[in-house]
Amino acid sequence: MKYFIFLSLFLLTTQLSAANYFLPDSIGTNAKMISTGSQGLGFGSAQIFENPGSVEIKSFSVSGFKTTLMNDFEYSNTAIGIKTPLGNLSAGFLQLSTSDIPHTTLATNPIYNEEEISVVQSYSYRNIIGKLGLTVPINEFIQVGTNLSFLYTELFNTYGKGFNADFGTRLNLNPLTLSLAFKNLLPTDVTYNDKSKENIPYHFLMASQYRFNDQLSLFGQLQLYESNLEQGYLKNIGLKADLLPTLFYIATSYKEFFVLDQRKKTWAFGFGLTLSGLSLDYAFEKSDYPPTDNNYYFSIGVDI
């Protein structure tokens, strides 16, 4: 019932505003990003979801991330990348989904001769983003990249498709790293099979990492958020301690987000281990959804 209410609210706000398409990647793309509170400052193929200019690969990279939200929504992504003479080529697939959503109707109970709600059938919901990108190092200080994004959503007998493009860059100015991402640059829509349309919202994100030394880093992020009910800038700040540099870290962050037209805040904590190119990351985040007060995230990556 709770996810049925959630979807109903989402569809209602979409119809009332007739404005922006819901993008599920705002949830987060990997556990390390959630614990530090900043996007586009990591390495490997998973960066294709955050900033196409941040995909940095030694020779081959693969990543995976999966979690359950609100007890019933499955959220996952996977990415793969390879270093080529042209640059770092990567592809990613991200999905938010749930199933067994009841399709109800009013029917008369033959025994009591009263109307009651009955379930006619169940259906599923899927929201998918696919990305294909290329990242090119310009020199030792700067790299740039671009993505093509393919969008698909499906609910009961309604489905929509669309496409867009991202551009990003990352500046490595030791001890400062700066990430700039410009997502959904094209003025395109998601078009549904009933001919209705939703605008794909533009998204700007700037993130930074300042290294005080080999053990301690400060993270900051500013992003332009645009939804059907609210538009504004959201601020994140995080701190990461590399207890065993290149091997083990712990991190914590404070972040802002919108729920409908209300600005909310939360915090996260996480840690990670890297051994011979294998990265294992875990994050814990306080939830704004009372039945599940906490969210837990786990991601894995291979970069060789």
Side-chain angles (χ1 to χ4, degrees):
M1 176 61 70
K2 49 184 169 289
Y3 52 79
F4 178 69
I5 295 173
F6 173 84
L7 282 173
S8 298
L9 288 172
F10 164 64
L11 290 173
L12 176 62
T13 56
T14 300
Q15 292 169 356
L16 287 175
S17 62
N20 291 326
Y21 179 75
F22 171 64
L23 295 166
D25 58 351
S26 59
I27 296 169
T29 56
N30 61 76
K32 188 174 185 179
M33 170 255 141
I34 291 170
S35 64
T36 61
S38 296
Q39 300 185 40
L41 296 169
F43 299 91
S45 56
Q47 293 301 301
I48 190 173
F49 301 114
E50 302 176 12
N51 179 358
S54 294
V55 179
E56 192 169 329
I57 299 171
K58 295 178 182 178
S59 59
F60 173 78
S61 174
V62 62
S63 67
F65 176 57
K66 185 175 183 179
T67 190
T68 301
L69 302 171
M70 298 172 64
N71 289 332
D72 297 287
F73 284 89
E74 297 294 330
Y75 178 73
S76 63
N77 68 60
T78 185
I80 187 170
I82 187 171
K83 190 171 186 177
T84 73
L86 296 177
N88 298 322
L89 182 64
S90 55
F93 178 88
L94 183 151
Q95 177 174 267
L96 175 68
S97 65
T98 189
S99 58
D100 298 324
I101 304 172
H103 180 201
T104 61
T105 187
L106 281 175
T108 301
N109 188 309
I111 299 178
Y112 301 103
N113 197 31
E114 295 178 349
E115 284 192 332
E116 61 181 23
I117 297 176
S118 62
V119 177
V120 177
Q121 65 183 91
S122 296
Y123 55 96
S124 61
Y125 165 75
R126 291 192 301 163
N127 192 323
I128 295 171
I129 300 177
K131 289 183 179 287
L132 179 64
L134 179 67
T135 307
V136 179
I138 303 300
N139 52 44
E140 60 181 313
F141 303 109
I142 183 172
Q143 56 187 43
V144 299
T146 186
N147 284 342
L148 288 177
S149 301
F150 306 92
L151 311 176
Y152 177 82
T153 188
E154 178 183 285
L155 176 64
F156 192 35
N157 57 0
T158 301
Y159 61 88
K161 302 176 182 178
F163 72 94
N164 216 291
D166 310 329
F167 174 80
T169 183
R170 186 162 76 180
L171 305 174
N172 300 309
L173 308 171
N174 192 37
L176 177 69
T177 300
L178 185 64
S179 170
L180 298 171
F182 306 86
K183 298 184 178 182
N184 304 319
L185 289 170
L186 304 179
T188 61
D189 300 315
V190 169
T191 303
Y192 290 88
N193 56 331
D194 61 1
K195 307 303 180 183
S196 63
K197 295 183 178 181
E198 286 182 315
N199 176 62
I200 302 172
Y202 168 73
H203 185 193
F204 167 73
L205 187 146
M206 178 175 65
S208 64
Q209 177 184 4
Y210 184 84
R211 298 173 184 83
F212 295 102
N213 49 49
D214 291 339
Q215 285 77 39
L216 191 63
S217 294
L218 178 67
F219 291 80
Q221 179 176 286
L222 183 68
Q223 64 173 317
L224 174 63
Y225 177 90
E226 184 178 350
S227 73
N228 290 329
L229 298 178
E230 192 61 57
Q231 178 176 337
Y233 285 94
L234 297 174
K235 302 176 292 294
N236 297 357
I237 188 169
L239 191 67
K240 180 167 77 80
D242 292 286
L243 302 183
L244 297 173
T246 73
L247 292 178
F248 180 76
Y249 74 87
I250 60 173
T252 187
S253 63
Y254 161 88
K255 60 189 71 177
E256 295 179 338
F257 62 99
F258 281 116
V259 175
L260 298 180
D261 60 346
Q262 297 183 13
R263 184 183 294 265
K264 301 286 187 177
K265 57 186 178 182
T266 188
W267 62 273
F269 170 81
F271 56 87
L273 179 67
T274 301
L275 294 171
S276 301
L278 174 66
S279 300
L280 304 172
D281 299 287
Y282 168 86
F284 160 90
E285 184 179 50
K286 293 296 293 182
S287 171
D288 195 57
Y289 181 62
T292 54
D293 192 41
N294 304 317
N295 287 328
Y296 306 94
Y297 306 94
F298 177 77
S299 58
I300 185 171
V302 176
D303 191 15
I304 56 176

